[in-house]
Amino acid sequence: MKKVAAIMMALLLVLTLFSGCAGSGKAEIALITDKGNIDDKSFNQGSWEGVVAFVEDQSKAGNKISHKYYKPEEANDAGYLEAIDLAVTGGAKVIVTPGFLFEVPVYEAQTRYPDVKFILLDGQPHDPDWNYETKSNVASILYAEQESGYLAGYAAVKDGMTKLGFMGGMAVPAVQAFGYGFLQGAEDAAKELGLEDGAVSVTYHYTGNFDENDTNKATAKTMYQEGTEVIFACGGSVGKSVMSAAAEAGKKVIGVDVDQRYDSETVITSATKGLGASVYQVLEAIYVKDNWNEFAGKTTTLNAKNNGVGLPTEVIGDANADAFDRMDKFTKSDYDEVFARLVNGDVVPIRTIEVADPNGYATADELVNGLSLVKVAPQVR
Amino acid sequence: MQDRNGSSSKLKVKKLLKIKGSSSFTAALLAIALGLIFGFIIMLFASPANSLPGFFTILTGGLQRLDDVIYFMVPILMTGLAVGFAFRMGLFNIGASGQYTMGMFFALYAGFMWKPPGNLHWLVCILAGLAGGMLWGLIPGIFKALLNVNEVITSIMFNYIGMYLVDMLIQSNAKMYVPTTTRTAYLPVSAQLPALGLSNSSANISIFFAIAIAVLLFIVLNHTIFGFELKATGFNKDASTYAGMNGKRNIILTMMIAGALAGLGGAFAILAPSTIPGSSMTYEPINIIAANGFNGIAVALLGNSHPIGIIFSALFISYIQRGGTLTSLYGYKPEIIDVVIAVIIYFSAFAMIMNIALGRFLARRKEKSAEKQGQEMKDAYQEVQEIDHVKEEV
Amino acid sequence: MDNYIIEMINITKEFPGILANDNVSLQLKKGEIHALLGENGAGKSTLMSILFGLYQPEKGEIRKNGKPVTINNPNDANDLGIGMVHQHFKLVENFTVLENIILGVEPNKIGFLQMREARKKVLKLSREYGLEVNPDALIENITVGMQQRVEILKMLYRENEILIFDEPTAVLTPQEIEDLMEIMRGFARSGKSILFITHKLNEIMAVADHCTVLRKGKLMGTVEIKNTSKEELSKMMVGREVSFSVQKKEMKPGDIVLSVRNVTVPSKIHKGDAVKNVSFDVRSGEIVCIAGIDGNGQTEFVSALTGLDKISGGTIKLCDVDITRSNIRTRSKAGMSHIPEDRHKHGLVLDYTLEQNLVLQQYWQSEFHKKGFIKRDAIRNYANKLIDQYDIRSSQGPITITRTMSGGNQQKAIVGREIDKEHELLVAVQPTRGLDIGAIEYIHKMLVERRDKGKAVLLISLELDEIMNVSDRILVMYEGEIVGELDPKSTTIEELGLYMSGAKRNIAKENENAG
């Protein structure tokens, strides 16, 4: 055994010499992952896909830009900041930080590295005492989640479903906005279809976590057993629990953040944030269009107008495929129509309502009154 | 380790160390070397071109980040001691994770909910962490001593119970938990440990506590009646009973101490100062068992359950991890680095297990076949066998 | 030369660092009983393992009927007609005698067992050699002596001509030993050749034709039994003169030190009691021996007496103090010293140093610590004192890891520790088990010295010579009861054997309904 190991070592060493000294490993565009992995089918992945798409397009145009992602050693402010330090050491000029967990670390880093540009997705830099400040080297991107949720709710009811479910993670602003938009979209679709008052029921639930676990699966299962046709799973890994329950019950799921149709056959559509698109836009502004100033030093809320939110309209890897093939009646043209209404401002979904509960859990009355629901009857659990 | 530091026969001691004492140390080095070789092979496959500079970074990268090496070594040093100390008594404290989490929670609770006057808030938090871990070690200890329930089973269960309990308690406490960020709030500065003052690092004074505790444990194990009984029980439970030692009391005491050590680890980790002023370490209740507890097992194994050995094995593992992170500068993806580091640690621990098992096996065989042969020869033989065996394993 | 059936010529077997057999030769004639004598670790077992194909020698050759053969495994040995009765029997407990005998060589016709044929053959063999067994009895229900017969029948059934007996008498009663000797002589008469491994000189003198003596892996020589004596053999084996009889002064019994009344201990194996209603006294200045065949409740009784296990009935008093429910440390303080049966399991922490083991019973005394901190120098001085006084030999003195010491010196360490500690009663359980003659002699001397110093000694032993030579009074334990009290001066080994096998008793079953 000893000999074999020695021979292998020698062989590999020789191989190494022949392959020579390739890339130094420096990367100009860096992404820091948050607590999950790069393939989390959520923020990390969505944002990273934007980086990759941009770099590939540039590469085709003959402009090679190095890029890579870094994983923090620990998932807290100091750990994220340390990863940013490492990325800068690694030659990063643009650093993409996906998610609001980076708000404090980016606040610190924007002063420490004034020559490095930061793209902070879904968050705004602030200090530990919640004093917001976005310096000129930071582009803070927020999303109009209510619009994305609106499209999902609209599509579901238009597709003929009347028993809907919403399973949010924790009642953080983004999740709340998705949920409120979902209810408003369902309401508008029901009106268009001329349904009776209260004809659309929505079981509205916050799981209190972003986990894949048995409790969440059981909750979803119960909803399906009660007749719910589709659940809008809106909270990280909660989606996995819901999809697994849906697969067993033969029911449907609406995904969130990124197009989740590839995770499960049960996902009919997804209320996406244009993470990749927004990263692409900002990178383009920096490298190609030279209009970084449009994003620098401020918060940009991306919405339907600038392709920041929407339902997926393309199937990756198949240009001819129909992204709405898992819907019965709702088609691409229906979608284009309602999307246009959001773009030109005919419809402006409400983002926030008054909620008494400190955890942000709205009651059914608060939902009905705050969102002026008539056709939709929310049931909170 | 044995009591070798006799005063009357220094020369003999020296000879003995040369023959026997060094074998566990050389075995550890050998294990590390093996782990490094395998780590290197993985790096070769992942990216041949960068493997040499990448591997060099793993080996030396820690030097550039000594402050972080120190910061990250403290929690695994403490959980390593928690596992190693109990192991000396023959108890496999696999519950270091739960004790760690408990200690962390108690420290957090003291940090948020109590405001003692004076400048010693953080000390109170540390003591609270110690108490929390102790409680979580005590329960499996009582189960083992009085009901003879295997401590492996109870302590595994208490890992889960502790973790879920802590997550639940934190989430239901509005003062400690921030729902919008899904993690704990920032601890007040008074509860955070004083930093070492190294620039841009969370390294803090807990390293001094941790090393002092390890030295203290060494003294307890080697210079006290309690340590004498504890090790005797670990080596041979029947003989310790025969000699009239109070096994039940010792089991409970040992598990309490082990739990307290892990609890301190959790407290030291969560009370560390953040590099961002006004910020702090945060805990995210996401139903995951603390990895530092399990890393403690590897640390203890590599350190041969010897308190001083554990200091160095914790240092080594932290050092390798810090260097490993830097290899991302050489084109290695974080996932590959994780695998490489895991392989190094795994091999270090695994080879030690083999070493222990083999040592016992050989000793038994030798007793039968060669009780009267020259001692040095046997020891040399054993060493050669150990080395050969480890090689064969590969 | 031509009448040797098996020859092992110049065999050298080396384990790394150890010469287990150094140029050893052994020649076995057809129809003789050849003893192989040596102390523990002298290389007897290695040599036989080579003959049986379990080890391969580095040098030397094995010849059968003058022709060199190679034996790579036990099957080769069996093909050459070599069979072995191992010290620990290799029988299937819940098979019958017959099934065990034919195991591995089942007679069959196209796959169907031919039990009738097998039975005929077994019965014929057992008649021929006087090996009476019930072929349909289950192994678990027959005595150890019977089990040994089954092992012997296994060899005969396989038509082996060379029979190796590895320490066959260790587990037998005196009567069974006598029977075995007769059986072995019968084999020799019928032309079979026997290799008889033992360290018991009496048996060799009684039955063997030749004896080959090994010492530390080297051949000391082969002698003809009729031209030699026990003394000469032991000198060859040990390398010096050995005295066999234990020198004892007249006993001067004093006050009662240990008083055991109606002690009953539940069994851990079966539902009944392992020790039933045992009562006796031990006085100062006497050695009382509990004799008995292994497994008749001695182990359980000692566990209860020393506090390792609880008793279910009765009382134990030590120097008039009731210690029935006391813990081990209290008993120790009250004056009980205990040389345990299993020195590796109970007697020593093998991974501790010699000095640590020497204070294992006393480390907690104020002499050896100050407020919980060990006084190393005090321990070292005490250990050195014991090492000198009891001649405990080791490679590195007090800091030797005990595991690396020889069995004899490990036992000396225990004996020294238990004797040096303040005590009134010394409980010595099989104190010479597995030791060589030199060490046995030494330990017997120590036990007698204790008695002469006015201590009470309770000896639990399976060795008949030891029982007869050392004790002042013999209590025979059979199936958990004391069935006889004998005076070694006025009794014979044969009579003792009858008591041990339960055939005789002189103490009536008292208090039958009290338990």
Side-chain angles (χ1 to χ4, degrees), chain B residues 46 233 323 378:
Chain B
T233 313
K378 274 202 249 174

Side-chain angles (χ1 to χ4, degrees), chain C residues 180-214:
Chain C
L180 179 67
M181 296 292 146
E182 197 43 56
I183 290 163
M184 282 163 73
R185 287 189 196 104
F187 287 153
R189 275 196 299 276
S190 67
K192 295 195 185 291
S193 311
I194 292 164
L195 266 170
F196 178 30
I197 306 170
T198 187
H199 59 253
K200 291 182 184 169
L201 299 167
N202 291 335
E203 293 164 7
I204 293 176
M205 296 308 291
V207 77
D209 300 309
H210 286 90
C211 178
T212 295
V213 185
L214 298 183

